Amino acid sequence: MELHELKNTWTVLDEQLKKNETLNKQIIQEMLQKKSSRSLNKLINTSFINLIVWLLGIPISIWGYHLPRFENFLFPKILFVTIFVTAILMVIWSCYQLRNLMKIDFSKSVKDNMRSVNTYAIMLKKEKIAIYFGFAPIYYTLGILSYYELGADFSYWTFLVVAFIVGVAMTYWTYKRIYDTNIQAIKKCLDELNELNEE
């Protein structure tokens, strides 16, 4: 009789432990999904702000190109044309990035989400290279040539140098603090979710 009661008690305890383990697993999954969602929302919001900024760049570049004071100057016009082309390209690129981010759904397959995050990370890497080794040198060179052609005084040259340094520093900070940090946070959560599912 005692052996039978002991077996029943052990069965009840075992079932309770399994229930607790399942419940704990669900709680951890929910916590990881919420953490990932916060990081994803930060990436989406930042990408959306970038899209708006580049959209604003289109009318501003058109307005700058048609300013009467630049009518007889070559390099300021080239600068505004470059801004216009860059803005259009970056609007398309930002839409493509947002579309990729919107595919991420933490209630779906971890594997699919990881693929989307990795694709986005590769896109950002290409974007960084394009900005640091393409756009930044081009804009800075055109800025120097425009200032030289316009005969800008020393204060304007100082402003150009400071603006360039601040722009590069802010761009680096944004990529490091917002993009890289949140991508790594999502990847870490997805890895942990994958480990939970394999248990």
Side-chain angles (χ1 to χ4, degrees):
M1 188 69 180
E2 285 182 7
L3 184 62
H4 183 69
E5 284 179 6
L6 190 63
K7 282 182 180 179
N8 285 339
T9 305
W10 178 257
T11 304
V12 170
L13 282 171
D14 189 49
E15 285 176 4
Q16 191 65 42
L17 281 170
K18 283 178 181 177
K19 283 180 183 177
N20 286 343
E21 191 178 318
T22 304
L23 185 63
N24 287 338
K25 189 177 176 180
Q26 287 174 344
I27 291 167
I28 292 167
Q29 282 178 328
E30 285 175 14
M31 284 173 62
L32 289 170
Q33 285 173 351
K34 282 180 182 177
K35 189 177 177 182
S36 298
S37 294
R38 281 197 300 270
S39 294
L40 178 62
N41 287 334
K42 286 177 185 176
L43 291 174
I44 290 172
N45 291 338
T46 306
S47 295
F48 189 70
I49 290 166
N50 286 340
L51 175 61
I52 292 169
V53 170
W54 286 115
L55 279 170
L56 290 172
I58 295 170
I60 290 169
S61 61
I62 294 169
W63 171 77
Y65 183 86
H66 290 98
L67 277 175
R69 67 173 298 189
F70 299 137
E71 190 175 351
N72 299 315
F73 294 98
L74 176 64
F75 287 110
K77 284 189 174 290
I78 293 173
L79 177 60
F80 286 116
V81 169
T82 306
I83 293 169
F84 178 77
V85 173
T86 306
I88 289 174
L89 290 173
M90 290 307 293
V91 164
I92 295 166
W93 182 250
S94 296
C95 288
Y96 184 59
Q97 282 184 329
L98 278 167
R99 184 169 164 265
N100 188 75
L101 283 173
M102 297 294 186
K103 286 182 183 176
I104 299 169
D105 184 349
F106 297 111
S107 62
K108 293 183 180 177
S109 163
V110 172
K111 189 179 177 182
D112 290 341
N113 287 327
M114 187 60 86
R115 191 184 301 115
S116 294
V117 172
N118 286 332
T119 301
Y120 182 72
I122 291 165
M123 289 167 69
L124 270 182
K125 195 173 181 180
K126 289 177 180 177
E127 185 180 303
K128 285 182 202 175
I129 293 167
I131 286 174
Y132 287 122
F133 301 104
F135 295 144
I138 289 169
Y139 278 114
Y140 193 55
T141 302
L142 286 172
I144 290 169
L145 293 170
S146 297
Y147 271 38
Y148 182 77
E149 190 178 13
L150 291 166
D153 61 30
F154 180 75
S155 61
Y156 284 103
W157 285 102
T158 305
F159 172 78
L160 180 67
V161 172
V162 171
F164 179 74
I165 293 168
V166 170
V168 169
M170 282 184 66
T171 303
Y172 177 81
W173 182 87
T174 302
Y175 279 119
K176 200 77 180 166
R177 186 70 184 88
I178 297 175
Y179 289 112
D180 293 346
T181 301
N182 287 297
I183 286 170
Q184 289 307 316
I186 293 171
K187 281 184 176 181
K188 187 179 177 184
C189 288
L190 288 173
D191 283 336
E192 289 178 22
L193 282 168
N194 196 42
E195 285 174 14
L196 276 175
N197 292 335
E198 287 175 354
E199 286 179 3

